[in-house]
């Protein structure tokens, strides 16, 4: 049964590995986009202007309330339709919107909405006295952000962001529905070819599970590092 | 076609899809709610022979995409067709609706176990000791003291889980079920009109909003003592 997963022409090991590569690529590209959106919308949701706060609230509420797969379809079909309208209007040939790009954008936008809420909580738990102290010794707003705020926000937000990363890893499976050759889709191909769907889907599940367990271990380590030097009550 | 015309033409399809989504998520969450309490007790207080399998089950479900679980059950069951036919179970696994429902129950049970574990751990030891001191049997201890308190603690988190399940039920459309997203994809494939997705998005948001509101009302009913100060 193990030669099913052998490397090379005989087994499906290399195909699954290639799919895993796409899955990881997708997750690692969506992560920075999501963090960027998260920082942007958490800043908006803490802005003085009520209309900016409303924009942030609308974005986070909508994106968190919609099924991820619906967001993916809207981005994939919607941007595709818009792109072709634009191409038509400038007289160019219609282009194919890449599923990879659609996946990165959709997953990044979902991650961003959840991350914005996590980061908002983290920014709100900062001690304002520290910002004032930093201002008093003449730090620029940028310096305050990178040297005083971010290291602490990081510490507060890490558990929440870690959960979001694990959700992101799992959500990458959805892109198989829009014909991207990720782990899930390669599994489907292998399952259809060998007529052994149970073996292959179980293998895919185990691979995702291992990814999550590795992530959990890594995140625990990062949390310990981020919390070094913090006194804990009662320990 | 403008969005309003699309809605006028296709509203019966949206309603049918919405009903299937409500069924899948609602029945799934309720069946899971019957299974989770027992397993949460096993997870917390059971003998390792029982509690370790529960831990592995919860970790596996939480560590794998629900789409993979759905495919494992729906397509994977085909591999055991002769065996399932022999046991008379094939007619169950043949239907995508049943497979989706089974996936949602298995998945939601795992998440609810984790949430209830937190709730059970949050019940103060003094309450349990007092109940034992007045001679309550283990069954009435759980029924009258521990679970009522644990569910009050876990209530908001359980609400989040139901919302996640509503969103996850959209995966059913991938295995040819015409839930809300399934109907929407059908409408989009006929019209190539993006407002098909707009209405689906609004319906999902409305469904979540109704649930959030109802859940909050129920929370106030469950713990009226916390809401007496006129704050709702």
């Amino acid at each position: 049964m193990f030669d099913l997963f052998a490397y090379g022409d005989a087994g499906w090991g290399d195909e699954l590995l290639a799919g895993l590569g796409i899955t990881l690529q997708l997750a690692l590209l969506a992560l920075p986009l999501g963090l960027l959106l998260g920082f942007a919308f958490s800043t908006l949701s803490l802005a003085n202007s009520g209309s900016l706060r409303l924009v942030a609230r609308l974005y986070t509420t909508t994106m968190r309330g919609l099924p991820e797969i619906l967001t993916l379809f809207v981005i994939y079909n919607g941007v595709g339709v818009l792109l072709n309208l634009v191409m038509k209007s400038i007289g160019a040939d219609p282009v194919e919107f890449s599923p990879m790009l659609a996946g990165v954008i959709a997953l990044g936008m979902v991650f961003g909405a959840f991350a914005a809420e996590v980061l908002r909580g983290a920014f709100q738990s900062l001690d304002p006295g520290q910002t004032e102290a930093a201002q008093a010794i003449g730090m620029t707003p940028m310096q305050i952000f990178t040297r005083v705020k971010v290291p602490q926000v990081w510490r507060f937000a890490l558990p929440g962001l870690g959960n979001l990363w694990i959700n992101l890893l799992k959500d990458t499976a959805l892109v198989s529905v829009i014909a991207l050759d990720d782990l899930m889709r390669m599994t489907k191909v292998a399952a259809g070819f060998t007529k052994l769907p149970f073996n292959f889907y179980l293998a895919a599940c185990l691979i995702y599970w291992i990814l999550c367990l590795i992530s959990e271990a890594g995140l625990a380590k990062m949390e310990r590092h981020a919390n070094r030097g913090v006194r804990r009550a009662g320990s | 076609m403008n969005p309003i015309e699309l809605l006028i033409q296709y509203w019966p399809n949206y309603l049918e899809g919405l009903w299937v989504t409500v069924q899948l998520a609602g029945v799934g969450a309720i069946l899971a709610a019957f299974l989770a309490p027992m397993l949460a007790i096993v997870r917390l207080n059971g003998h390792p022979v029982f509690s370790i399998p529960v831990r592995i089950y919860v970790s596996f479900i939480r560590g794998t995409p629900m789409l993979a679980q759905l495919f494992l059950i729906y397509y994977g069951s085909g591999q055991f067709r002769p065996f399932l036919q022999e046991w008379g179970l094939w007619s169950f696994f043949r239907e995508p609706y049943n497979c989706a429902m089974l996936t949602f129950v298995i998945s939601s049970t795992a998440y609810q176990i984790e949430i209830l574990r937190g709730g059970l751990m949050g019940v103060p030891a003094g309450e349990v000791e007092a109940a034992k001191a007045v001679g309550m049997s283990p069954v009435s201890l759980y029924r009258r003291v521990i679970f009522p308190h644990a569910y009050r603690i876990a209530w908001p988190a359980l609400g989040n889980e139901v919302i996640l399940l509503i969103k996850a039920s959209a995966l059913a459309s991938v295995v040819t079920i015409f839930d809300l997203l399934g109907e929407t994809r059908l409408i989009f494939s006929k019209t190539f009109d993006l407002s098909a997705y707009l209405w689906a998005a609004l319906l999902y948001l409305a469904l979540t909003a109704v649930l959030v509101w109802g859940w909050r009302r129920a929370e106030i009913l469950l713990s009226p003592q916390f809401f007496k100060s006129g704050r709702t």
Side-chain angles (χ1 to χ4, degrees), chain A residues 143-198:
Chain A
Q143 280 176 326
I144 296 176
F145 186 73
T146 56
R147 293 189 190 175
V148 179
K149 286 186 173 171
V150 168
Q152 304 222 61
V153 162
W154 180 240
R155 182 162 71 85
F156 293 137
L158 198 53
L161 294 179
N163 281 340
L164 294 182
W165 162 253
I166 288 174
N167 283 345
L168 174 63
L169 269 180
K170 293 191 286 173
D171 284 345
T172 56
L174 299 177
V175 296
S176 63
V177 180
I178 56 167
L180 186 56
D181 288 333
D182 75 322
L183 175 57
M184 202 65 222
R185 193 169 155 86
M186 295 318 279
T187 306
K188 195 169 188 170
V189 172
F193 193 85
T194 57
K195 304 272 186 282
L196 291 170
F198 189 83

Side-chain angles (χ1 to χ4, degrees), chain B residues 1-218:
Chain B
M1 199 183 320
N2 74 38
I4 305 292
E5 283 172 34
L6 186 124
L7 188 64
I8 290 169
Q9 192 173 344
Y10 289 107
W11 68 266
N13 302 58
Y14 279 118
L15 271 191
E16 266 172 48
L18 187 65
W19 177 230
V20 175
T21 291
V22 169
Q23 276 178 15
L24 280 172
V27 177
I30 290 167
L31 288 179
F34 279 108
L35 295 170
M38 204 58 215
L39 289 167
I41 297 175
V42 172
R43 161 81 174 77
L44 264 182
N45 303 328
H47 187 276
V49 173
F50 302 107
S51 74
I52 289 175
V54 175
R55 285 175 80 149
I56 293 174
Y57 157 63
V58 171
S59 169
F60 178 81
I61 296 297
R62 301 208 315 161
T64 50
M66 205 193 262
L67 189 66
Q69 296 161 12
L70 178 60
F71 284 175
L72 183 66
I73 291 177
Y74 179 56
Y75 294 116
S77 61
Q79 199 174 322
F80 304 106
R81 187 172 169 177
F83 173 79
L84 290 170
Q85 272 171 330
E86 199 177 314
W87 285 81
L89 290 168
W90 179 244
S91 57
F92 178 87
F93 284 99
R94 198 178 49 192
E95 292 298 324
Y97 185 89
N98 294 340
C99 290
M101 185 68 93
L102 185 63
T103 311
F104 297 152
V105 172
I106 289 175
S107 165
S108 192
T109 303
Y111 284 94
Q112 289 190 27
I113 289 172
E114 246 346 63
I115 292 167
L116 279 180
R117 185 174 68 94
L120 289 170
M121 280 165 44
V123 177
E127 289 181 15
V128 181
E129 286 159 7
K132 280 181 181 163
V134 297
M136 271 194 186
S137 70
V139 173
S140 37
L141 172 68
Y142 271 106
R143 195 168 66 84
R144 298 196 164 175
V145 178
I146 298 181
F147 271 121
H149 198 161
Y151 268 100
R152 285 187 177 94
I153 297 171
W155 192 254
L158 286 173
N160 284 342
E161 161 54 20
V162 178
I163 291 174
L164 285 181
L165 194 60
I166 291 175
K167 288 167 51 179
S169 72
L171 293 179
S173 66
V174 179
V175 289
T176 69
I177 295 173
F178 287 102
D179 71 326
L180 181 48
L181 187 62
E183 292 282 357
T184 307
R185 288 172 70 183
L186 189 70
I187 297 169
F188 181 78
S189 69
K190 281 183 193 162
T191 59
F192 281 103
D193 189 333
L194 275 177
S195 47
Y197 285 115
L198 173 79
W199 293 115
L202 288 176
L203 283 169
Y204 273 111
L205 288 178
L207 192 58
T208 323
V210 168
L211 189 97
V212 167
W213 179 81
W215 211 262
R216 177 86 184 147
R217 299 301 305 172

